[in-house]
Amino acid sequence: MICLNIDSVTVRRGSRDLLSDVSLNLSAGEVVAVLGPNGAGKSTLFRAITNEYPSASGRVLLGEKPVSDWAPLECALQMAILPQSSSLSFSFTVNEVVQMGRTPHASSREHNQDICRRALLEVDALHLANRSYTHLSGGEKQRVHLARVLAQIWEPPLVGNRVLLLDEPTSALDPRHQHQTLAVARAFASQGVGVIVILHDLNLAAQYADRIVILKNGKKCADGCPAEVLTRETIQSVFDIRAMIMAHPVHGYPLVVAE
């Protein structure tokens, strides 16, 4: 089932196309990794999905309706986004920050608290619940905001499917928490959530994604399973890196090793 349909979207700023005729379908239960060099249009794609950047042409459908046609509350029950950075300078506790994700829900305080506790446990941050958010490290803050967006779409909505958009969620994390974050994304996908994650690490994308989409200069230049997309030729063309591609000795997904 297609839960998100990005259909020939172009995003223009002045005379420059930040995205040019990009199409992408996301199915329920699928993890799609979006890769590309800096300035390729990855974050612009997320802003187009959420209608922060209106499309000059094309459309984005959440379910069967354009994203712009959904009421904000209805959209928030279906789609959550973790941006690259989240600015928050007030001395909220971690638990209070995560509870912000429950704002769209008309559920009891006890129920919301239980979901926030479970979301913090998922991201290995339950021990931070009573800490001041402003006193956390960058990686801890990133995990707290991940818990917030998980809490937002923890339960299936009455209408539509759930979509989780993660913009470089591993950028400030140590290796253990990088893998844990993407394992959480995979676990949510197993519950029928469609996940799009922007990554820079090709090997993390190969390990956790069902499909990889590569953007370059605002255009989609590859879309397929990791073994189809992560080829020596594509990596050289897109990232200007000479690399060897080999199969993981146990799991078989491609490993990219720079020469």
Side-chain angles (χ1 to χ4, degrees):
M1 177 185 297
I2 301 298
C3 57
L4 189 68
N5 180 13
I6 303 158
D7 181 18
S8 301
V9 166
T10 293
V11 174
R12 187 168 295 131
R13 286 292 178 270
S15 60
R16 181 180 172 221
D17 286 351
L18 303 182
L19 282 182
S20 180
D21 195 30
V22 171
S23 294
L24 168 63
N25 287 332
L26 175 69
S27 297
E30 183 181 36
V31 177
V32 174
V34 179
L35 308 178
N38 293 334
K42 302 183 298 296
S43 294
T44 299
L45 176 65
F46 271 26
R47 292 186 173 102
I49 292 172
T50 59
N51 205 41
E52 181 181 348
Y53 284 2
S55 303
S57 61
R59 60 180 186 168
V60 178
L61 300 178
L62 178 61
E64 298 181 354
K65 288 184 1 183
V67 169
S68 57
D69 288 356
W70 286 97
L73 179 60
E74 292 177 316
C75 192
L77 294 173
Q78 296 183 64
M79 183 165 61
I81 180 170
L82 179 67
Q84 283 187 35
S85 60
S86 301
S87 178
L88 185 61
S89 56
F90 295 100
S91 294
F92 293 111
T93 67
V94 164
N95 194 52
E96 288 171 333
V97 173
V98 178
Q99 286 187 38
M100 294 176 186
R102 298 299 299 169
T103 302
H105 296 268
S107 45
S108 70
R109 180 171 178 270
E110 292 76 15
H111 183 66
N112 288 338
Q113 286 180 335
D114 179 59
I115 286 176
C116 291
R117 182 190 65 80
R118 292 161 66 187
L120 283 167
L121 187 63
E122 282 287 320
V123 303
D124 189 31
L126 184 58
H127 62 289
L128 303 173
N130 296 316
R131 290 266 303 274
S132 171
Y133 171 83
T134 57
H135 294 165
L136 302 181
S137 71
E140 289 171 334
K141 289 178 179 178
Q142 197 166 30
R143 283 152 48 206
V144 168
H145 282 292
L146 176 60
R148 173 180 57 80
V149 297
L150 295 180
Q152 180 181 330
I153 58 166
W154 193 267
E155 304 139 314
L158 294 176
V159 177
N161 296 290
R162 290 175 290 172
V163 174
L164 180 61
L165 307 176
L166 304 174
D167 191 350
E168 298 188 33
T170 61
S171 59
L173 302 183
D174 58 65
R176 179 172 77 89
H177 287 109
Q178 289 179 6
H179 285 277
Q180 182 185 41
T181 292
L182 295 175
V184 168
R186 277 245 59 101
F188 261 62
S190 72
Q191 301 170 25
V193 178
V195 180
I196 302 180
V197 54
I198 293 175
L199 294 171
H200 282 294
D201 190 312
L202 306 185
N203 289 318
L204 285 176
Q207 182 173 353
Y208 288 98
D210 299 301
R211 282 169 49 221
I212 292 175
V213 171
I214 297 183
L215 300 180
K216 182 180 180 181
N217 297 327
K219 298 179 180 180
K220 187 173 76 170
C221 59
D223 184 348
C225 72
E228 293 171 336
V229 169
L230 295 179
T231 65
R232 181 183 179 93
E233 295 75 21
T234 298
I235 292 169
Q236 172 76 51
S237 171
V238 174
F239 299 100
D240 196 23
I241 296 173
R242 293 176 59 85
M244 297 181 294
I245 315 297
M246 57 190 71
H248 188 281
V250 176
H251 302 292
Y253 56 79
L255 290 175
V256 179
V257 182
E259 292 183 356

